[in-house]
Amino acid sequence: MAQAPAYPARVRVLGCPVDPYTMAQTVSRTAELVEGGGFAHLIGANADKVLQMRDDPAMAEIVEGCEIVNADGASMLMAAERLGVDVPERVSGIDLMGELCATAAARGWEVCLLGARADVAEEAAERLREAHAGLRIVAVRDGYFGPDEYADVAEEIRAASPRITFVGITSPKKEEVIEFFRRAGLKGAFVGVGGSFDVVSGRIPRAPLWMQRARLEWLFRMMQEPGRLLRRYAVGNVRFMRLLRQEARAARREESR
């Protein structure tokens, strides 16, 4: 009998749990969860998520309970390096979506896209079908619904029975609705991918590779959507760096004792 692969233990970066997985390990672990027939919430941790957890106990509880928490953001890698925490690589939501779609196509898993405007989600679905031959996208639904419609959306997903649902909705609604699905008894992997549908559909360009490698994708995104992201990055990053300096100083004091 083949032995199940071992995965590194969860670590913490500025109080946020992180599963220090590579992309390959994330895909492998997700496949195990999908094949197990249960429910899995995959979330990407970044500077904004760290701050949300500190401001909102409900968000902190959600993140702590997620089955996989990836380091999605240059800020998390930089913080981990400074604090001496081993996080091997960034696993971004948009890249993970591509890898999981490839796996879904190869294994015959059904996929659902939930989020963005209806036309954007449909365009993203078409691009994904073109990129991954045989990909079975069984449901596409926009993200413009309120809490009073969560139960109806849950029933739509239950009827389609996808093995993986990509949720392209902004936070904190994204996390709230996925946890509603957990309580509603849905099965499968629910992967938070934020604004990835806009990029996959071609509506918004992605940062060039050199900016991704230089950990500047956040800057490119802010330039594309300054009205929505300027405050988040300008104010949030300053606060995040202040927290990082405080924790680094505390760690040094602890080491010197």
Side-chain angles (χ1 to χ4, degrees), residues 120-139:
V120 173
E122 290 288 356
E123 289 174 13
E126 188 58 34
R127 294 287 185 95
L128 290 170
R129 290 188 185 100
E130 292 171 357
H132 306 284
L135 181 63
R136 300 175 60 197
I137 299 180
V138 295

PDB file of all heavy atoms in Angstrom, residues 120-139:
ATOM      1  N   VAL A 120     -18.064  38.298 -17.000  1.00  0.00           N
ATOM      2  CA  VAL A 120     -16.656  38.051 -16.692  1.00  0.00           C
ATOM      3  C   VAL A 120     -16.453  36.589 -16.310  1.00  0.00           C
ATOM      4  O   VAL A 120     -15.495  35.937 -16.768  1.00  0.00           O
ATOM      5  CB  VAL A 120     -16.171  38.980 -15.560  1.00  0.00           C
ATOM      6  CG1 VAL A 120     -14.761  38.600 -15.115  1.00  0.00           C
ATOM      7  CG2 VAL A 120     -16.207  40.436 -16.009  1.00  0.00           C
ATOM      8  N   ALA A 121     -17.331  36.058 -15.479  1.00  0.00           N
ATOM      9  CA  ALA A 121     -17.212  34.660 -15.064  1.00  0.00           C
ATOM     10  C   ALA A 121     -17.344  33.717 -16.252  1.00  0.00           C
ATOM     11  O   ALA A 121     -16.604  32.723 -16.361  1.00  0.00           O
ATOM     12  CB  ALA A 121     -18.270  34.334 -14.011  1.00  0.00           C
ATOM     13  N   GLU A 122     -18.255  34.020 -17.169  1.00  0.00           N
ATOM     14  CA  GLU A 122     -18.423  33.178 -18.362  1.00  0.00           C
ATOM     15  C   GLU A 122     -17.183  33.245 -19.257  1.00  0.00           C
ATOM     16  O   GLU A 122     -16.760  32.217 -19.803  1.00  0.00           O
ATOM     17  CB  GLU A 122     -19.664  33.611 -19.139  1.00  0.00           C
ATOM     18  CG  GLU A 122     -20.986  33.295 -18.458  1.00  0.00           C
ATOM     19  CD  GLU A 122     -21.328  31.805 -18.468  1.00  0.00           C
ATOM     20  OE1 GLU A 122     -20.572  31.019 -19.078  1.00  0.00           O
ATOM     21  OE2 GLU A 122     -22.351  31.443 -17.855  1.00  0.00           O
ATOM     22  N   GLU A 123     -16.609  34.429 -19.395  1.00  0.00           N
ATOM     23  CA  GLU A 123     -15.394  34.559 -20.203  1.00  0.00           C
ATOM     24  C   GLU A 123     -14.237  33.806 -19.555  1.00  0.00           C
ATOM     25  O   GLU A 123     -13.437  33.163 -20.248  1.00  0.00           O
ATOM     26  CB  GLU A 123     -15.036  36.030 -20.374  1.00  0.00           C
ATOM     27  CG  GLU A 123     -15.981  36.789 -21.295  1.00  0.00           C
ATOM     28  CD  GLU A 123     -15.682  38.271 -21.332  1.00  0.00           C
ATOM     29  OE1 GLU A 123     -14.604  38.667 -20.836  1.00  0.00           O
ATOM     30  OE2 GLU A 123     -16.521  39.031 -21.841  1.00  0.00           O
ATOM     31  N   ALA A 124     -14.134  33.893 -18.231  1.00  0.00           N
ATOM     32  CA  ALA A 124     -13.087  33.155 -17.524  1.00  0.00           C
ATOM     33  C   ALA A 124     -13.271  31.658 -17.724  1.00  0.00           C
ATOM     34  O   ALA A 124     -12.296  30.920 -17.945  1.00  0.00           O
ATOM     35  CB  ALA A 124     -13.114  33.501 -16.034  1.00  0.00           C
ATOM     36  N   ALA A 125     -14.510  31.190 -17.661  1.00  0.00           N
ATOM     37  CA  ALA A 125     -14.786  29.760 -17.866  1.00  0.00           C
ATOM     38  C   ALA A 125     -14.355  29.327 -19.257  1.00  0.00           C
ATOM     39  O   ALA A 125     -13.746  28.255 -19.428  1.00  0.00           O
ATOM     40  CB  ALA A 125     -16.276  29.480 -17.656  1.00  0.00           C
ATOM     41  N   GLU A 126     -14.641  30.144 -20.255  1.00  0.00           N
ATOM     42  CA  GLU A 126     -14.262  29.805 -21.622  1.00  0.00           C
ATOM     43  C   GLU A 126     -12.745  29.762 -21.783  1.00  0.00           C
ATOM     44  O   GLU A 126     -12.201  28.854 -22.430  1.00  0.00           O
ATOM     45  CB  GLU A 126     -14.865  30.819 -22.599  1.00  0.00           C
ATOM     46  CG  GLU A 126     -14.686  30.441 -24.063  1.00  0.00           C
ATOM     47  CD  GLU A 126     -15.289  29.086 -24.405  1.00  0.00           C
ATOM     48  OE1 GLU A 126     -16.323  28.713 -23.823  1.00  0.00           O
ATOM     49  OE2 GLU A 126     -14.705  28.380 -25.259  1.00  0.00           O
ATOM     50  N   ARG A 127     -12.046  30.704 -21.182  1.00  0.00           N
ATOM     51  CA  ARG A 127     -10.582  30.707 -21.255  1.00  0.00           C
ATOM     52  C   ARG A 127      -9.998  29.467 -20.569  1.00  0.00           C
ATOM     53  O   ARG A 127      -9.021  28.884 -21.053  1.00  0.00           O
ATOM     54  CB  ARG A 127     -10.031  31.968 -20.583  1.00  0.00           C
ATOM     55  CG  ARG A 127     -10.373  33.277 -21.283  1.00  0.00           C
ATOM     56  CD  ARG A 127      -9.607  33.477 -22.572  1.00  0.00           C
ATOM     57  NE  ARG A 127      -9.864  34.775 -23.162  1.00  0.00           N
ATOM     58  CZ  ARG A 127      -9.097  35.856 -22.983  1.00  0.00           C
ATOM     59  NH1 ARG A 127      -8.010  35.771 -22.206  1.00  0.00           N
ATOM     60  NH2 ARG A 127      -9.386  36.997 -23.555  1.00  0.00           N
ATOM     61  N   LEU A 128     -10.588  29.084 -19.452  1.00  0.00           N
ATOM     62  CA  LEU A 128     -10.096  27.901 -18.737  1.00  0.00           C
ATOM     63  C   LEU A 128     -10.351  26.630 -19.537  1.00  0.00           C
ATOM     64  O   LEU A 128      -9.505  25.724 -19.555  1.00  0.00           O
ATOM     65  CB  LEU A 128     -10.746  27.813 -17.359  1.00  0.00           C
ATOM     66  CG  LEU A 128     -10.298  28.875 -16.343  1.00  0.00           C
ATOM     67  CD1 LEU A 128     -11.180  28.830 -15.101  1.00  0.00           C
ATOM     68  CD2 LEU A 128      -8.834  28.686 -15.962  1.00  0.00           C
ATOM     69  N   ARG A 129     -11.488  26.545 -20.196  1.00  0.00           N
ATOM     70  CA  ARG A 129     -11.763  25.375 -21.049  1.00  0.00           C
ATOM     71  C   ARG A 129     -10.761  25.300 -22.200  1.00  0.00           C
ATOM     72  O   ARG A 129     -10.322  24.212 -22.590  1.00  0.00           O
ATOM     73  CB  ARG A 129     -13.184  25.459 -21.601  1.00  0.00           C
ATOM     74  CG  ARG A 129     -14.286  25.247 -20.572  1.00  0.00           C
ATOM     75  CD  ARG A 129     -15.640  25.144 -21.254  1.00  0.00           C
ATOM     76  NE  ARG A 129     -16.750  25.050 -20.303  1.00  0.00           N
ATOM     77  CZ  ARG A 129     -17.525  26.079 -19.968  1.00  0.00           C
ATOM     78  NH1 ARG A 129     -17.326  27.283 -20.520  1.00  0.00           N
ATOM     79  NH2 ARG A 129     -18.509  25.906 -19.103  1.00  0.00           N
ATOM     80  N   GLU A 130     -10.410  26.448 -22.762  1.00  0.00           N
ATOM     81  CA  GLU A 130      -9.442  26.475 -23.855  1.00  0.00           C
ATOM     82  C   GLU A 130      -8.052  26.057 -23.370  1.00  0.00           C
ATOM     83  O   GLU A 130      -7.300  25.384 -24.087  1.00  0.00           O
ATOM     84  CB  GLU A 130      -9.370  27.877 -24.457  1.00  0.00           C
ATOM     85  CG  GLU A 130     -10.638  28.303 -25.190  1.00  0.00           C
ATOM     86  CD  GLU A 130     -10.602  29.774 -25.582  1.00  0.00           C
ATOM     87  OE1 GLU A 130      -9.618  30.460 -25.235  1.00  0.00           O
ATOM     88  OE2 GLU A 130     -11.564  30.235 -26.240  1.00  0.00           O
ATOM     89  N   ALA A 131      -7.712  26.455 -22.160  1.00  0.00           N
ATOM     90  CA  ALA A 131      -6.377  26.171 -21.622  1.00  0.00           C
ATOM     91  C   ALA A 131      -6.238  24.736 -21.126  1.00  0.00           C
ATOM     92  O   ALA A 131      -5.124  24.204 -21.080  1.00  0.00           O
ATOM     93  CB  ALA A 131      -6.059  27.149 -20.490  1.00  0.00           C
ATOM     94  N   HIS A 132      -7.362  24.113 -20.734  1.00  0.00           N
ATOM     95  CA  HIS A 132      -7.305  22.778 -20.130  1.00  0.00           C
ATOM     96  C   HIS A 132      -8.317  21.874 -20.836  1.00  0.00           C
ATOM     97  O   HIS A 132      -9.506  21.836 -20.473  1.00  0.00           O
ATOM     98  CB  HIS A 132      -7.600  22.858 -18.629  1.00  0.00           C
ATOM     99  CG  HIS A 132      -6.728  23.824 -17.890  1.00  0.00           C
ATOM    100  ND1 HIS A 132      -5.419  23.542 -17.567  1.00  0.00           N
ATOM    101  CD2 HIS A 132      -6.975  25.087 -17.441  1.00  0.00           C
ATOM    102  CE1 HIS A 132      -4.893  24.579 -16.932  1.00  0.00           C
ATOM    103  NE2 HIS A 132      -5.805  25.517 -16.839  1.00  0.00           N
ATOM    104  N   ALA A 133      -7.840  21.149 -21.818  1.00  0.00           N
ATOM    105  CA  ALA A 133      -8.716  20.285 -22.616  1.00  0.00           C
ATOM    106  C   ALA A 133      -9.441  19.283 -21.723  1.00  0.00           C
ATOM    107  O   ALA A 133      -8.816  18.620 -20.886  1.00  0.00           O
ATOM    108  CB  ALA A 133      -7.898  19.544 -23.673  1.00  0.00           C
ATOM    109  N   GLY A 134     -10.735  19.183 -21.920  1.00  0.00           N
ATOM    110  CA  GLY A 134     -11.529  18.230 -21.150  1.00  0.00           C
ATOM    111  C   GLY A 134     -12.023  18.748 -19.820  1.00  0.00           C
ATOM    112  O   GLY A 134     -12.706  18.011 -19.090  1.00  0.00           O
ATOM    113  N   LEU A 135     -11.704  19.999 -19.470  1.00  0.00           N
ATOM    114  CA  LEU A 135     -12.149  20.544 -18.188  1.00  0.00           C
ATOM    115  C   LEU A 135     -13.674  20.645 -18.159  1.00  0.00           C
ATOM    116  O   LEU A 135     -14.287  21.228 -19.052  1.00  0.00           O
ATOM    117  CB  LEU A 135     -11.532  21.932 -17.961  1.00  0.00           C
ATOM    118  CG  LEU A 135     -11.904  22.622 -16.638  1.00  0.00           C
ATOM    119  CD1 LEU A 135     -11.400  21.822 -15.445  1.00  0.00           C
ATOM    120  CD2 LEU A 135     -11.353  24.050 -16.619  1.00  0.00           C
ATOM    121  N   ARG A 136     -14.271  20.094 -17.142  1.00  0.00           N
ATOM    122  CA  ARG A 136     -15.734  20.055 -17.015  1.00  0.00           C
ATOM    123  C   ARG A 136     -16.195  21.147 -16.040  1.00  0.00           C
ATOM    124  O   ARG A 136     -16.195  20.944 -14.821  1.00  0.00           O
ATOM    125  CB  ARG A 136     -16.180  18.681 -16.533  1.00  0.00           C
ATOM    126  CG  ARG A 136     -15.797  17.534 -17.464  1.00  0.00           C
ATOM    127  CD  ARG A 136     -16.175  16.194 -16.865  1.00  0.00           C
ATOM    128  NE  ARG A 136     -17.623  16.107 -16.632  1.00  0.00           N
ATOM    129  CZ  ARG A 136     -18.181  15.199 -15.841  1.00  0.00           C
ATOM    130  NH1 ARG A 136     -17.429  14.323 -15.186  1.00  0.00           N
ATOM    131  NH2 ARG A 136     -19.502  15.168 -15.694  1.00  0.00           N
ATOM    132  N   ILE A 137     -16.565  22.295 -16.573  1.00  0.00           N
ATOM    133  CA  ILE A 137     -17.113  23.377 -15.754  1.00  0.00           C
ATOM    134  C   ILE A 137     -18.631  23.227 -15.761  1.00  0.00           C
ATOM    135  O   ILE A 137     -19.285  23.455 -16.775  1.00  0.00           O
ATOM    136  CB  ILE A 137     -16.683  24.747 -16.284  1.00  0.00           C
ATOM    137  CG1 ILE A 137     -15.146  24.865 -16.245  1.00  0.00           C
ATOM    138  CG2 ILE A 137     -17.320  25.870 -15.448  1.00  0.00           C
ATOM    139  CD1 ILE A 137     -14.608  26.180 -16.758  1.00  0.00           C
ATOM    140  N   VAL A 138     -19.172  22.800 -14.636  1.00  0.00           N
ATOM    141  CA  VAL A 138     -20.585  22.424 -14.581  1.00  0.00           C
ATOM    142  C   VAL A 138     -21.490  23.547 -14.085  1.00  0.00           C
ATOM    143  O   VAL A 138     -22.713  23.428 -14.170  1.00  0.00           O
ATOM    144  CB  VAL A 138     -20.776  21.176 -13.695  1.00  0.00           C
ATOM    145  CG1 VAL A 138     -20.104  19.964 -14.312  1.00  0.00           C
ATOM    146  CG2 VAL A 138     -20.254  21.425 -12.269  1.00  0.00           C
ATOM    147  N   ALA A 139     -20.899  24.629 -13.568  1.00  0.00           N
ATOM    148  CA  ALA A 139     -21.718  25.749 -13.096  1.00  0.00           C
ATOM    149  C   ALA A 139     -20.889  27.020 -13.102  1.00  0.00           C
ATOM    150  O   ALA A 139     -19.705  27.001 -12.749  1.00  0.00           O
ATOM    151  CB  ALA A 139     -22.261  25.480 -11.692  1.00  0.00           C
TER     152      ALA A 139
END
